[in-house]
Amino acid sequence: AAQGLNDGHPERRMECKRIAIRLLSLIREMKAKNETSPWPEEYLSIEGSAYNLLGRLALCEGSKEGFRTAAKYFGKYRDLCKNADPIIAKAAEANLAWAESKCEGSDDLCPEEKLKNRRDVYDMCVARHGEGALCSIQSGIGFARELEAAYHGIEAERLLSRLAGISRRVHGRCHDITKRIDFDLRRSRRRRVEIECPH
């Protein structure tokens, strides 16, 4: 459902929102029927993912109201996962801090804080799941993008090169995650060449 959040297709974002809201509605119905039983961790994960998606969609609106809504959803996401998975909780906390800074009119969190959050999440994923796990590679891609945004292009390119090798070895050249890394790596190299050799 999360594909196409920032691709300029509002109808895709509306479809994602509809799916997430429907999921939460189904979960509420299931909880109402099973009040005495413990809520399975898999269901908590689905519920958290729906809140995270709604938060990301609200951020796409780019308005003050959207940032407030995003902070509300990211807060619910964080509360759901804080006892279950420290990696997801750290990512949720970072999203919440970012949305709250946007609500307060700040352009963004300071680059060092964003880098530290991304590095922490990446390190935690690798430590827990290994560097070949999809969640670790996805986290590494996010960390590389943050490095680039903070003008650490060489470090970003090195990380992407390492991730590309790992992804090809573990998941194969045709896997979507490998293609995504290859795309980001080409973009990173092209950007560095344009910076080093301006016309």
Side-chain angles (χ1 to χ4, degrees), residues 3-172:
Q3 298 269 331
L5 289 186
N6 294 314
D7 63 1
H9 295 287
E11 64 277 359
R12 287 186 188 168
R13 287 196 293 272
M14 289 305 296
E15 180 66 9
C16 289
K17 186 174 182 178
R18 190 190 62 72
I19 291 168
I21 289 170
R22 179 68 182 134
L23 266 174
L24 290 172
S25 173
L26 289 170
I27 288 169
R28 274 192 296 277
E29 288 173 24
M30 291 168 69
K31 279 183 175 178
K33 291 177 185 174
N34 298 324
E35 282 187 44
T36 55
S37 359
W39 194 236
E41 194 171 314
E42 299 83 29
Y43 293 171
L44 283 174
S45 175
I46 293 168
E47 186 177 9
S49 294
Y51 281 124
N52 185 47
L53 178 59
L54 287 170
R56 290 172 57 206
L57 288 164
L59 282 177
C60 289
E61 292 174 19
S63 67
K64 200 86 151 162
E65 185 58 36
F67 299 141
R68 275 194 288 274
T69 302
K72 179 184 79 171
Y73 286 133
F74 288 143
K76 289 182 178 188
Y77 180 43
R78 182 217 38 213
D79 293 345
L80 279 170
C81 63
K82 67 182 171 190
N83 296 324
D85 188 334
I87 297 168
I88 295 172
K90 179 75 178 171
E93 193 67 51
N95 285 345
L96 177 59
W98 186 54
E100 285 175 341
S101 76
K102 296 294 242 178
C103 285
E104 293 165 6
S106 170
D107 281 347
D108 226 336
L109 295 175
C110 71
E112 295 81 23
E113 190 176 347
K114 287 172 71 175
L115 272 180
K116 183 185 178 326
N117 286 340
R118 285 291 190 172
R119 185 184 308 269
D120 288 350
V121 170
Y122 176 61
D123 289 345
M124 288 167 68
C125 281
V126 169
R128 177 181 251 197
H129 303 289
E131 60 184 7
L134 279 174
C135 65
S136 298
I137 292 172
Q138 289 169 333
S139 188
I141 292 169
F143 179 36
R145 288 180 178 168
E146 212 57 67
L147 283 166
E148 261 191 352
Y151 303 104
H152 296 281
I154 292 172
E155 190 180 349
E157 191 175 318
R158 286 182 185 148
L159 175 57
L160 287 168
S161 292
R162 195 171 90 244
L163 291 171
I166 293 165
S167 190
R168 283 186 204 109
R169 186 180 74 247
V170 175
H171 303 289

